[in-house]
Amino acid sequence: MQVYKTRRTTVYFVYAHAHVFTMAARVVQLLTVAVSLTSLLPPCSSRPLDQRHQRLEILLQKGVGAADSSEILCHLCEAAVALIQEYLEEGGSVDDMFPVLEPLCVFFLNQSFGYYGPYMCPGVIHSYGPVLFYVLAERTLDPLELCQFVRLCNETQEPTHTLPLLSPSLLKQSSETHSVSTGSSRNVLSSANTTGTRAQPFSRRRRRESIQRPTGAGREGVSRSEDVIMFLHLSDIHLDRQYSEGSPSLCNLYLCCRSWYNGTAPAGHYGNYKCDLPLVTLDVVVETIASLDPQPDFIIYTGDNSPHDLWNETWASQFEATDYLVSYLAEKLPHTPIYPALGNHESYPESEYIGTLPQYQELTKRMAEYWQKGATLPQSAVETIAEGGYYTLLISDGLRLVSFNSDYGYFLNLYTLLNGQNPNVARQQTWITDTLELAEKAGEKVVMIAHIPPGDPGNTLREYDEFYLNLTKRFRDTIVGHLFGHTHHDEFKLIQDQEGVYGTVLVSPSVTPRGRSNPSFRLFTSGPFLLPPPGLPAVPSQLTLANEQAGRGVKPKMELAYSTSDLYHLPDLSPSSWASLVERFSQFPDLVSEYRYNKYGQSSSHDRSCDSQCLRETICTITNVVNSERRF
């Protein structure tokens, strides 16, 4: 073991003898990282090892002796965190540590994802380094805890803190006996308009003959309760205005399809399943919406505006991405209110958010400014958006929208490690419950919208899932819809526990094709309060076909892909009906295959077949809204 010292701390690296290089290739890569670090740091005399230094030495030795890549990454992560903690103790900064962090980042991106780290890592470290340093300065963590949190180490320890949850008084069940499958709710649901057949053009969809649009309805939304309400759900647009036709879609980076990248597999005119949305395809989507007859009464947009080039992001680029997209939608759809929710890609760096820091307070203030371009918002909504990225408003008589900030429940948000000491988390939860109590007393029905759905496997914190389950259970007669995005997939999830089923999370597919899905959105028609099943349009039958036809000058048209009630034969839209659909999945494998085909936007890039293990995983994902793994 050789000791090398920078100005502010001591760093230990393992020198490998010849026999070490006979180990697995992954271990050789780890040693290469260590050697490269020694070439960047000047040698100096060592100092006696204290307990922390001994810990770091042990971690590096474990990394060299690890048998597989997961062990290597775990111990390397622990060593890196311990190293950062030393720098922090001696007043070090991200810039001071860059020579150390860069080769570690390169190794991690190459080892885990096959990405070309030397191109991505400078931007990644510049963006995420300050976040990591802030969290470690604010909370004492064992390196293993942090590495478990980011899923580089297996979880073997108990959680050290939890999010504040609803108080027992708020979770008390009402004395009234609840039923989700009988009474007036069932009657209204069963009469919802659920027309449309798979792969039929929109022009052939049955029109709402009885609807009377309110005079002067525009940015103000629906001015009165109507017999039928029609609205649309968009999510995850991820517009990439630097997308370039013919550029490589395989480039060993997190996002490709840009003209200056090297690689293979030229990108098509209308998009690529490995890349974000080109503007020309967004034009097709919005033109389709603008041509609907009748027009939607409003649009729900559950966030994510910017592309996935996380190593290029700045606050300016993130603000500009949201401003451009909101302005574009407002210009193209001037008479349709657009009600958004905050996505994890609106902040800088993406996925990181904490409302107690000035830069994120500026983010929500900007959102309050931008979002008013798409809808006339009451002053109370503008104020709460600026305060924390959440708001409520009446979208028609007796129908209330509640949009909340789900970033506090996302595991990739490192700031959630500080949730236990963050007053904004409890403040938003209190606001949500207070809003629902007022709606309950007023006899209103509520549609809940946010970006990240509860129970997203491996992505949400257990406390977030539990909060939402308890919330839905308490207000099951008030909340009539749960609309989310984020996963890029068309899917649903039952909000349930051992006592019953209380609601259904409906996750909208993405507009971006990244994630191997055709650009899609959901279309809803319903009675005045209760949600219908979604209709799902998708760019023609395949994005691949659209690209092929583009060479012949053929412009794609979006078509109605399916109607939920027709495809799944739901008697009504109660949670119990969705639960019965899950039961039928185990009896009819073809139904599961159809669900998986639609889940991925009817993309041929996904295998629609489903064996017994696939069936178990599908049902498990749908029926478990509480994530049992992530807790911090």
Side-chain angles (χ1 to χ4, degrees):
M1 175 70 66
Q2 301 272 337
V3 181
Y4 287 86
K5 186 173 183 178
T6 65
R7 292 173 302 164
R8 302 196 175 186
T9 191
T10 304
V11 185
Y12 294 89
F13 301 103
V14 179
Y15 264 111
H17 297 287
H19 71 277
V20 178
F21 288 91
T22 62
M23 300 174 69
R26 293 187 180 94
V27 177
V28 174
Q29 287 179 298
L30 177 60
L31 293 170
T32 302
V33 171
V35 172
S36 68
L37 289 175
T38 64
S39 67
L40 294 172
L41 300 172
C44 187
S45 60
S46 63
R47 62 176 180 175
L49 297 179
D50 61 17
Q51 184 176 2
R52 182 180 293 275
H53 300 151
Q54 291 173 355
R55 165 74 163 159
L56 180 58
E57 180 182 10
I58 291 171
L59 292 173
L60 285 170
Q61 288 176 342
K62 284 184 176 180
V64 173
D68 57 59
S69 60
S70 62
E71 284 189 60
I72 292 174
L73 289 173
C74 175
H75 296 307
L76 187 61
C77 175
E78 289 183 87
V81 173
L83 202 60
I84 292 172
Q85 288 173 327
E86 282 214 7
Y87 265 74
L88 285 171
E89 287 182 358
E90 301 190 18
S93 67
V94 175
D95 291 340
D96 293 331
M97 276 210 69
F98 184 84
V100 177
L101 294 176
E102 184 180 31
L104 294 175
C105 172
V106 170
F107 174 81
F108 171 72
L109 292 182
N110 175 265
Q111 181 71 29
S112 299
F113 307 106
Y115 295 149
Y116 183 60
Y119 186 78
M120 294 177 59
C121 283
V124 170
I125 294 169
H126 178 76
S127 297
Y128 289 90
V131 177
L132 180 58
F133 271 50
Y134 181 85
V135 171
L136 289 176
E138 290 294 311
R139 179 180 171 192
T140 301
L141 285 169
D142 184 90
L144 178 61
E145 286 183 279
L146 181 58
C147 295
Q148 288 173 338
F149 184 78
V150 297
R151 296 191 300 179
L152 290 179
C153 294
N154 294 327
E155 292 197 17
T156 58
Q157 291 182 322
E158 290 296 317
T160 57
H161 84 274
T162 60
L163 294 177
L165 299 179
L166 286 170
S167 65
S169 61
L170 289 175
L171 297 178
K172 289 174 64 178
Q173 299 297 315
S174 65
S175 57
E176 176 184 353
T177 300
H178 297 284
S179 174
V180 294
S181 60
T182 60
S184 60
S185 295
R186 186 185 189 95
N187 295 334
V188 174
L189 283 168
S190 62
S191 65
N193 180 10
T194 59
T195 61
T197 56
R198 181 176 173 277
Q200 293 297 315
F202 274 112
S203 59
R204 297 183 62 182
R205 178 178 52 82
R206 280 189 290 172
R207 297 180 58 181
R208 299 178 295 157
E209 301 295 343
S210 61
I211 190 170
Q212 298 293 321
R213 288 189 60 81
T215 303
R219 292 292 174 214
E220 293 76 21
V222 183
S223 63
R224 61 180 174 85
S225 179
E226 300 177 314
D227 292 336
V228 178
I229 291 175
M230 173 176 165
F231 67 95
L232 191 144
H233 184 188
L234 288 170
S235 195
D236 297 87
I237 293 177
H238 291 290
L239 177 63
D240 186 2
R241 286 179 285 154
Q242 299 184 78
Y243 179 96
S244 178
E245 180 182 2
S247 62
S249 63
L250 298 176
C251 67
N252 294 326
L253 298 175
Y254 190 52
L255 180 70
C256 299
C257 297
R258 292 180 172 179
S259 59
W260 57 91
Y261 292 165
N262 296 319
T264 59
H269 182 70
Y270 286 104
N272 184 279
Y273 291 128
K274 297 182 181 297
C275 299
D276 275 322
L277 188 76
L279 183 59
V280 65
T281 309
L282 180 61
D283 288 338
V284 173
V285 174
V286 174
E287 287 169 8
T288 300
I289 297 172
S291 68
L292 293 176
D293 185 15
Q295 278 286 283
D297 294 303
F298 56 88
I299 294 173
I300 300 296
Y301 176 49
T302 47
D304 271 13
N305 308 318
S306 64
H308 287 82
D309 58 337
L310 55 88
W311 65 95
N312 286 325
E313 292 173 350
T314 64
W315 273 117
S317 70
Q318 294 298 84
F319 289 151
E320 198 274 338
T322 295
D323 190 18
Y324 179 90
L325 185 57
V326 172
S327 300
Y328 172 94
L329 294 174
E331 177 185 352
K332 300 292 185 180
L333 304 167
H335 303 298
T336 307
I338 302 170
Y339 301 122
L342 186 68
N344 64 291
H345 278 260
E346 271 73 281
S347 62
Y348 168 76
E350 67 180 56
S351 301
E352 306 306 313
Y353 175 86
I354 185 169
T356 55
L357 293 181
Q359 59 267 39
Y360 297 102
Q361 293 167 1
E362 178 65 20
L363 168 68
T364 50
K365 290 177 182 177
R366 294 286 189 105
M367 295 303 108
E369 173 189 343
Y370 299 152
W371 290 355
Q372 291 183 78
K373 297 180 180 182
T376 301
L377 301 174
Q379 183 59 31
S380 59
V382 175
E383 291 173 356
T384 55
I385 295 169
E387 178 182 310
Y390 52 87
Y391 66 97
T392 184
L393 53 81
L394 279 173
I395 47 180
S396 70
D397 292 344
L399 182 60
R400 177 169 295 278
L401 181 75
V402 173
S403 175
F404 68 93
N405 182 349
S406 59
D407 284 351
Y408 288 124
Y410 190 31
F411 98 96
L412 281 180
N413 180 8
L414 293 178
Y415 288 118
T416 59
L417 285 162
L418 307 178
N419 274 356
Q421 60 200 60
N422 182 357
N424 289 11
V425 178
R427 183 177 295 117
Q428 179 181 238
Q429 291 182 340
T430 299
W431 175 86
I432 293 172
T433 55
D434 288 348
T435 300
L436 289 172
E437 283 191 325
L438 290 173
E440 181 182 57
K441 293 176 182 178
E444 298 169 347
K445 300 300 180 182
V446 174
V447 177
M448 304 288 292
I449 70 169
H451 182 66
I452 300 170
D456 186 19
N459 286 324
T460 52
L461 303 183
R462 184 180 181 88
E463 290 81 6
Y464 173 67
D465 300 339
E466 290 174 340
F467 168 77
Y468 203 81
L469 169 61
N470 292 333
L471 189 80
T472 304
K473 186 174 182 178
R474 164 62 181 85
F475 295 103
R476 58 185 137 179
D477 284 345
T478 299
I479 303 174
V480 296
H482 309 264
L483 305 182
F484 294 84
H486 183 65
T487 70
H488 293 202
H489 299 149
D490 171 22
E491 54 189 327
F492 73 97
K493 183 177 289 290
L494 299 177
I495 306 173
Q496 64 175 8
D497 60 17
Q498 294 180 344
E499 298 178 8
V501 184
Y502 313 111
T504 308
V505 169
L506 297 178
V507 180
S508 178
S510 62
V511 179
T512 181
R514 192 175 188 276
R516 300 187 294 165
S517 293
N518 287 308
S520 308
F521 59 79
R522 277 179 163 171
L523 185 66
F524 292 81
T525 59
S526 78
F529 301 131
L530 298 167
L531 295 177
L536 170 63
V539 168
S541 39
Q542 295 292 334
L543 186 61
T544 304
L545 178 61
N547 288 329
E548 292 173 354
Q549 293 177 337
R552 303 194 299 270
V554 178
K555 188 174 183 178
K557 295 180 180 179
M558 297 190 79
E559 301 176 338
L560 187 62
Y562 72 94
S563 169
T564 305
S565 59
D566 293 343
L567 178 62
Y568 298 131
H569 306 292
L570 299 179
D572 55 45
L573 302 181
S574 64
S576 61
S577 291
W578 289 98
S580 70
L581 173 61
V582 178
E583 293 177 359
R584 283 186 282 132
F585 278 171
S586 60
Q587 302 171 12
F588 304 101
D590 290 344
L591 192 60
V592 181
S593 297
E594 194 69 24
Y595 172 73
R596 286 172 52 80
Y597 178 55
N598 291 321
K599 177 178 179 178
Y600 300 110
Q602 300 190 349
S603 168
S604 59
S605 63
H606 287 275
D607 183 8
R608 62 192 296 175
S609 63
C610 193
D611 58 19
S612 58
Q613 180 179 350
C614 165
L615 177 62
R616 286 193 300 271
E617 292 175 352
T618 299
I619 293 177
C620 181
T621 299
I622 292 173
T623 56
N624 286 279
V625 76
V626 174
N627 188 329
S628 62
E629 297 178 358
R630 316 288 336 150
R631 179 189 284 277
F632 264 97

